[in-house]
Amino acid sequence: MEVEEETVVSLDLSEYRKDTIDKLKIAIMTTSILMAFVIVLGCLILYVDGRVMLTEENEVKEMPEQWAVLVAGSKGWDNYRHQADVCHAYQVLHEHGVDDDHIVVMMYDDIAYSDENPTKGEIINKPNGPNVYKDVPKDYTGENVNPQNFIAVLKGDKEAVKGKGSGKVLTSGPNDNIFVYFADHGASGIVAFPSDFLDAQTLNAALQDMHKNKLYKQMLFYLEACESGSMFEGLLPDNIGILAVTASNSTSPSFACFYDEKLDTFLGDVFSVSWMENADS
């Protein structure tokens, strides 16, 4: 099955019909509002050494923790934007108080020091933007960025990733919140990894296992890929505490943005840049 390439456009969308532009604006605004809401909630969580609190009856209750899994499923200079998106997402979470030991990052890591990168060790997500690569944890890189490790990380399966990358997985519990962000190419019912694919059935089965095993209270899943709606439509139950927000519906492409003539590649994706720049503001 061939993976549909993302449609690439500049941010000047004047060539599109007005109704298409209006729909895109609504989608971006909705996404920005949702992410702002999630970030505000995260900021309200009190982090203390024991992560406990006292109720009015002086009962000790465990505080909810914030966890995140960030995945760039592509490799190669032409796909610069996916790793740039994920690095930027890490910076957003870090700035909003999520600890590094609660963030799992999967990225091929072939961009920052690529021969095609004139500024070694730097990745930007917008023209003249800051270096979003700085201090990003690299838990799984190269061939360790694959569907099997991704599913193992979500399900907290330490044995499955033993000896692979950092071995870090989610060790969340029933009171915790999880944010998953995935950026790459996609097609109907699949998203791509550097050398493999993840199908919608496998992903949704893993999410339902997580719910069954009480690994979270709420989960927000952002998916940046063409036809990304097909990964959840008709498959994700509406009663397991997961909100899935996708860059496109089940049949439409997603959009790249910020073409850099000097780097000869796109720096970001419209959906991803929208929620992150809102979170940065």
Side-chain angles (χ1 to χ4, degrees):
M1 180 179 294
E2 294 185 358
V3 177
E4 180 177 343
E5 290 289 331
E6 288 175 305
T7 301
V8 291
V9 298
S10 68
L11 287 183
D12 182 7
L13 299 177
S14 60
E15 64 188 80
Y16 289 87
R17 298 193 307 271
K18 185 178 184 300
D19 60 336
T20 302
I21 296 174
D22 290 342
K23 290 179 181 178
L24 182 58
K25 287 180 178 178
I26 292 171
I28 291 173
M29 290 174 64
T30 302
T31 298
S32 298
I33 292 170
L34 284 170
M35 193 56 198
F37 177 70
V38 171
I39 292 297
V40 170
L41 285 179
C43 290
L44 294 176
I45 300 297
L46 300 177
Y47 286 87
V48 293
D49 289 341
R51 285 182 166 85
V52 298
M53 65 179 180
L54 292 178
T55 66
E56 291 182 359
E57 295 78 18
N58 291 326
E59 297 176 344
V60 177
K61 296 184 67 175
E62 184 179 355
M63 288 290 290
E65 299 180 10
Q66 309 301 311
W67 295 83
V69 180
L70 311 176
V71 184
S74 65
K75 65 179 179 179
W77 188 255
D78 289 344
N79 293 314
Y80 180 109
R81 60 193 178 276
H82 300 137
Q83 292 185 51
D85 290 338
V86 162
C87 288
H88 189 177
Y90 164 77
Q91 302 298 342
V92 169
L93 294 174
H94 182 75
E95 285 297 314
H96 285 84
V98 182
D99 297 333
D100 281 4
D101 62 1
H102 281 50
I103 303 174
V104 182
V105 180
M106 305 182 75
M107 55 186 287
Y108 206 84
D109 197 26
D110 60 343
I111 299 300
Y113 291 95
S114 168
D115 291 340
E116 297 181 80
N117 192 349
T119 54
K120 296 292 186 289
E122 294 187 8
I123 295 177
I124 58 177
N125 199 212
K126 64 180 180 179
N128 302 313
N131 177 21
V132 293
Y133 184 73
K134 183 179 179 182
D135 297 328
V136 174
K138 289 169 278 293
D139 296 296
Y140 298 90
T141 61
E143 295 305 312
N144 283 321
V145 181
N146 59 55
Q148 296 75 27
N149 288 345
F150 174 54
I151 295 299
V153 167
L154 290 178
K155 296 169 70 172
D157 189 348
K158 293 183 178 180
E159 282 299 314
V161 293
K162 190 174 182 179
K164 302 173 183 178
S166 70
K168 189 191 299 183
V169 300
L170 294 180
T171 56
S172 50
N175 295 317
D176 298 337
N177 301 315
I178 299 174
F179 173 57
V180 182
Y181 171 58
F182 187 102
D184 194 13
H185 299 287
S188 180
I190 61 170
V191 289
F193 278 81
S195 303
D196 204 347
F197 302 100
L198 173 64
D199 65 81
Q201 289 75 17
T202 300
L203 174 60
N204 282 274
L207 297 178
Q208 292 181 58
D209 282 346
M210 293 174 69
H211 178 258
K212 179 181 178 181
N213 293 322
K214 299 180 179 180
L215 297 182
Y216 66 89
K217 181 178 181 180
Q218 298 180 102
M219 182 188 304
L220 177 65
F221 199 127
Y222 273 18
L223 181 52
E224 171 78 62
C226 290
E227 302 181 25
S228 47
S230 65
M231 293 297 290
F232 301 107
E233 186 175 2
L235 297 170
L236 181 67
D238 59 7
N239 61 350
I240 62 173
I242 298 178
L243 173 63
V245 184
T246 61
S248 64
N249 62 26
S250 296
T251 59
S252 300
S254 59
F255 299 90
C257 64
F258 294 141
Y259 180 75
D260 189 298
E261 292 186 358
K262 180 180 178 181
L263 297 180
D264 191 26
T265 191
F266 286 85
L267 305 181
D269 294 285
V270 173
F271 170 82
S272 298
V273 167
S274 297
W275 72 258
M276 287 186 282
E277 290 197 342
N278 180 79
D280 285 336
S281 62

